[in-house]
Amino acid sequence: MTTIDKPKILVVNDDPASLLALTSLLDQWADESGYSVLSARSGQEALRQVLLHDFAVILLDVNMPGMDGFETAEAIHQRARSADIPIIFVTAFLADEIDRLKAYQRGAADFLFTPVIPQILHAKVQVFVALATKNEELKRQAHKLSQRTTELTATNKRLTREMEERQAAEAKSHAKDEFLAMLGHELRNPLSAISSAASLIGLPGAPTDTVTRAKLIIQRQSQHLSRIVDDLLDLSRAMSGKILLDKQHLDLAALVSACLDTFKATGRTGNYLVNIDMQAGWVDGDPTRLEQIATNLIDNALKYTPPGGTIDIAVSDTGQDIVLEVRDTGVGISAELLPHVFDVFVQGSITLDRAQGGLGIGLALVRRLVELHGGKVSAHSEGASAGSTFVIRLPRAAPAAVPASAAPSTLAQDCKPAILLIEDNDDGREMMATMLDAYGYPVRQAADGVQGVQMARSFLPDVALVDIGLPGIDGYEVARRLRQGSDTCHIKLIALTGYGLADDQRRVLEAGFDKHLVKPVEIADLLDAIGQCAATADE
C-alpha cells in the first residue's frame, strides 16, 4: 500500500517566542488533524523550505527584518510549483485597508492578528489542511484514472490489432482454400484429358489420325502439368530465398523478343494487335528467371484481354534502369484488388468456372524474381474494363558486344555414348529408355541402386543417368561408389531428381555427379546434357 505524506504547515516568524508559541499550538492538534509542522526564522529560510517541501498553508509574519512578509510572499508565489500555496499573514497590529489591499495583492489568503486565539487558528488551519488533503486525493484519483485510461487504450489497441490479425488470418485461410480448389481444378483438367487420350489410343482399330491427335493432347497436357508444378516449386523457392541466380550479361530486349516469338509460334497472339517497341537494354540477370518474368507478364496480358484487344510491349533504357512495360486493353484491375495484385494466391474474379484459368501465383512469382534481381515491379489500372499496365525496372548494366556463339557440342551419329539408366519407377524408366533408343543411344536399365552399381561395373557405360530417390541405396551413394571404383570413376554421372533447390544441387555435385537435371526433363535438355558429358569425356 502506498504511504501518503501528511500535509505540511510552515510557520515563519523572526521572533523566537512567537515562533515557539505558534508551533506549539499547532503541534497539539497535529496528530488529530493529520498534519506536520515546520518552522523558519526568516524570509530566506522560508524560501529554502519551500524549495524542499510542498505546504498546505504558510503562516507568515508580516514584520520581519531584511525580507518582510510581503516580499517573502511575492517570492514564494513567483515559483510555479509554490504559486498556489495559501498564505495567512500574521500581524501584531490591526491592519488598515491599505495594508490589507497590499497583502491580498501579494497573495494573502487570510489574516491572523496577535495575540492569536487558538480556536480561530485551529479552525483556519484546519480548512486549508482539509483542502490540501482533498486536492491530494483528487491528484491520486486523477493519476489512477490516467493509468486506467492508458491501460484501456493499450487494451483497445491490442484487441484491435488482434481483430485485424484474425481477419487477415481468416482472409489468408480463405485465399488458401480457394487456391487449393483452383489447384484441384487445374490438375484435374489436364489429367482428365490425358486419361481420355490414353484410353482412346488403347481402343482397338482407332484411326491413325485420332491416335496422332491423342498423342499430341497427352504431350500438350503433360507440359501444362509440368508448368503448374514448376510454378508451385519456383514460388516456394523464391519465397524462402532458395533460388540462386545464374547471372549473365544479356540484352533484355532480345530476351523479351524471343519470348514473344514463342507465343507467336504457338498461335497465342493471332487474335490480338501486338505493338512492340524494343530498345537495347543490358542487364546482369539470370536468363531463365528473366524469361519467366517476361513470359508471365505476356501470358497475363493475353489471358485477361478479350480477342481483338491490343497489347503493347516495350523495353527502354532510362540511363539508370532498364524498363520492361506490358500494357493491355483487357479487363483491368479494380481499385480494391490493385494493392494486392502481387500477393500470393490473389486472383481477380476468382471462380471455378472462370475462363482465364491459372493459379493466381504468377504475379507473386514475378515480384519475387524481380526483387531477387534488385529491381522493382508495379501495376497500374484505371479500374474494371480499363486495361492494365505492368512495369518492371531492373538495374542497368553497361552495354556489351554480344560474343560469338560457340557451336554446340554434338556427337557424330555413328558414335553415340552407351547409357546406363538407373530408375526405380518402371513406367518412367521404360519410357525414357524407349526415347533414348529411338534417338540411337544404346541403353541398359537398372531398377535400384545396388543393381545399378553392379551393372555399371560389368557394363562400364559412358554415361549413367541416376535417379536420386532409389530404394536400397540412394543416388548419392550410387555416385560415391562409382567414383571410388578405379574402373567406374571415369563414368559421367547425370542426376535425375524431382528436387531442384540450391541445396539439392549442391549435394548432387558433392556426391560426384557431373550434371543435375530436374524432372520432368525435356528430351532436348537430356540429349544436350548427355552430349556435353560425352564430349568432355573425349577431351
Side-chain angles (χ1 to χ4, degrees):
M1 183 176 178
T2 304
T3 301
I4 302 174
D5 290 338
K6 292 181 179 180
K8 296 180 178 66
I9 298 173
L10 177 63
V11 181
V12 186
N13 199 305
D14 66 303
D15 178 52
S18 300
L19 184 62
L20 178 61
L22 282 174
T23 55
S24 298
L25 278 175
L26 293 171
D27 281 338
Q28 68 181 349
W29 305 307
D31 291 338
E32 175 189 346
S33 299
Y35 59 77
S36 59
V37 182
L38 300 178
S39 61
R41 305 250 333 245
S42 67
Q44 290 84 353
E45 187 178 349
L47 292 177
R48 285 194 293 270
Q49 292 282 15
V50 169
L51 289 174
L52 297 174
H53 306 284
D54 292 327
F55 291 98
V57 63
I58 298 175
L59 302 180
L60 181 58
D61 185 29
V62 173
N63 295 310
M64 293 187 297
M67 180 183 291
D68 66 15
F70 295 139
E71 293 171 332
T72 302
E74 188 173 10
I76 290 173
H77 284 167
Q78 282 177 350
R79 291 180 64 250
R81 181 177 172 180
S82 56
D84 296 327
I85 297 177
I87 295 175
I88 298 177
F89 282 110
V90 181
T91 179
F93 57 90
L94 188 61
D96 58 22
E97 294 303 320
I98 296 178
D99 287 333
R100 285 176 180 266
L101 177 61
K102 184 177 179 181
Y104 285 126
Q105 288 174 341
R106 298 299 191 276
D110 204 348
F111 283 89
L112 276 174
F113 302 103
T114 56
V116 173
I117 300 172
Q119 292 83 353
I120 295 177
L121 172 64
H122 184 206
K124 289 191 175 185
V125 165
Q126 188 63 31
V127 169
F128 292 110
V129 168
L131 181 61
T133 302
K134 181 60 69 175
N135 285 338
E136 187 63 28
E137 179 64 27
L138 289 174
K139 287 180 182 179
R140 287 196 303 272
Q141 291 178 357
H143 179 67
K144 288 182 179 179
L145 181 60
S146 176
Q147 285 184 319
R148 184 58 177 161
T149 301
T150 302
E151 292 172 0
L152 290 175
T153 301
T155 301
N156 184 57
K157 289 181 179 179
R158 187 180 70 253
L159 291 174
T160 302
R161 183 173 63 252
E162 290 175 355
M163 289 177 60
E164 291 172 349
E165 291 173 352
R166 187 178 297 111
Q167 290 171 353
E170 290 173 353
K172 185 175 290 186
S173 176
H174 181 65
K176 287 183 178 179
D177 289 342
E178 289 184 330
F179 170 75
L180 290 174
M182 285 189 292
L183 177 59
H185 176 76
E186 292 296 322
L187 291 177
R188 287 191 182 95
N189 278 345
L191 286 173
S192 176
I194 290 172
S195 177
S196 299
S199 299
L200 188 60
I201 291 174
L203 289 176
T208 303
D209 60 338
T210 300
V211 172
T212 300
R213 283 202 310 275
K215 289 180 178 178
L216 290 175
I217 288 172
I218 291 175
Q219 182 181 15
R220 186 165 58 250
Q221 295 302 321
S222 296
Q223 291 174 347
H224 179 56
L225 283 174
S226 179
R227 284 195 299 271
I228 291 175
V229 173
D230 286 343
D231 277 352
L232 288 170
L233 291 176
D234 281 341
L235 181 64
S236 175
R237 296 167 191 155
M239 298 305 291
S240 60
K242 293 184 178 179
I243 283 186
L244 295 181
L245 300 180
D246 182 15
K247 289 189 176 183
Q248 301 175 21
H249 198 61
L250 55 86
D251 180 6
L252 185 63
L255 182 142
V256 174
S257 296
C259 292
L260 188 57
D261 288 342
T262 302
F263 281 98
K264 290 179 179 178
T266 57
R268 291 286 307 281
T269 61
N271 295 324
Y272 301 91
L273 175 61
V274 180
N275 300 316
I276 303 171
D277 182 10
M278 298 292 178
Q279 178 185 353
W282 290 90
V283 298
D284 290 321
D286 186 324
T288 301
R289 300 307 180 185
L290 291 178
E291 184 177 332
Q292 276 185 286
I293 292 171
T295 299
N296 270 330
L297 290 184
I298 297 172
D299 181 69
N300 197 68
L302 292 170
K303 185 186 298 183
Y304 291 101
T305 301
T310 301
I311 297 173
D312 299 321
I313 304 172
V315 174
S316 59
D317 184 346
T318 67
Q320 291 183 331
D321 300 318
I322 302 301
V323 180
L324 166 61
E325 182 175 311
V326 179
R327 175 180 297 148
D328 63 64
T329 58
V331 299
I333 306 172
S334 66
E336 295 79 13
L337 179 62
L338 191 60
H340 308 288
V341 74
F342 293 105
D343 293 348
V344 181
F345 309 141
V346 171
Q347 188 183 60
S349 302
I350 296 177
T351 57
L352 293 181
D353 61 347
R354 68 208 182 288
Q356 290 87 357
L359 296 175
I361 62 177
L363 292 178
L365 181 58
V366 165
R367 177 174 67 177
R368 188 64 185 128
L369 291 177
V370 169
E371 290 173 348
L372 287 175
H373 281 83
K376 296 180 180 179
V377 59
S378 59
H380 310 277
S381 178
E382 296 299 323
S385 303
S388 307
T389 301
F390 291 88
V391 179
I392 304 293
R393 295 182 178 275
L394 297 173
R396 180 181 184 272
V402 180
S405 300
S409 59
T410 58
L411 297 172
Q413 294 294 323
D414 56 351
C415 59
K416 297 287 188 180
I419 307 294
L420 172 60
L421 175 59
I422 308 175
E423 167 66 69
D424 65 310
N425 184 284
D426 295 336
D427 292 338
R429 185 178 67 254
E430 181 182 349
M431 292 307 300
M432 184 170 290
T434 302
M435 186 71 70
L436 290 170
D437 183 68
Y439 278 89
Y441 290 91
V443 183
R444 294 194 185 183
Q445 306 175 39
D448 59 50
V450 174
Q451 183 185 3
V453 172
Q454 293 172 348
M455 191 171 291
R457 288 170 178 167
S458 61
F459 172 43
L460 295 180
D462 298 299
V463 179
L465 306 177
V466 186
D467 181 37
I468 295 299
L470 293 170
I473 61 172
D474 61 21
Y476 300 120
E477 183 60 26
V478 169
R480 294 187 189 100
R481 294 188 183 186
L482 294 181
R483 286 288 177 249
Q484 290 171 357
S486 58
D487 54 343
T488 57
C489 61
H490 69 282
I491 299 173
K492 295 297 179 180
L493 302 179
I494 299 176
L496 302 176
T497 175
Y499 302 98
L501 299 180
D503 286 345
D504 301 314
Q505 186 174 9
R506 177 185 55 77
R507 289 187 64 191
V508 161
L509 297 178
E510 287 176 352
F513 284 93
D514 297 283
K515 284 192 174 295
H516 173 229
L517 297 178
V518 180
K519 297 179 181 180
V521 182
E522 293 285 345
I523 188 61
D525 295 334
L526 178 60
L527 296 179
D528 184 58
I530 293 173
Q532 291 179 22
C533 286
T536 56
D538 293 338
E539 293 178 355

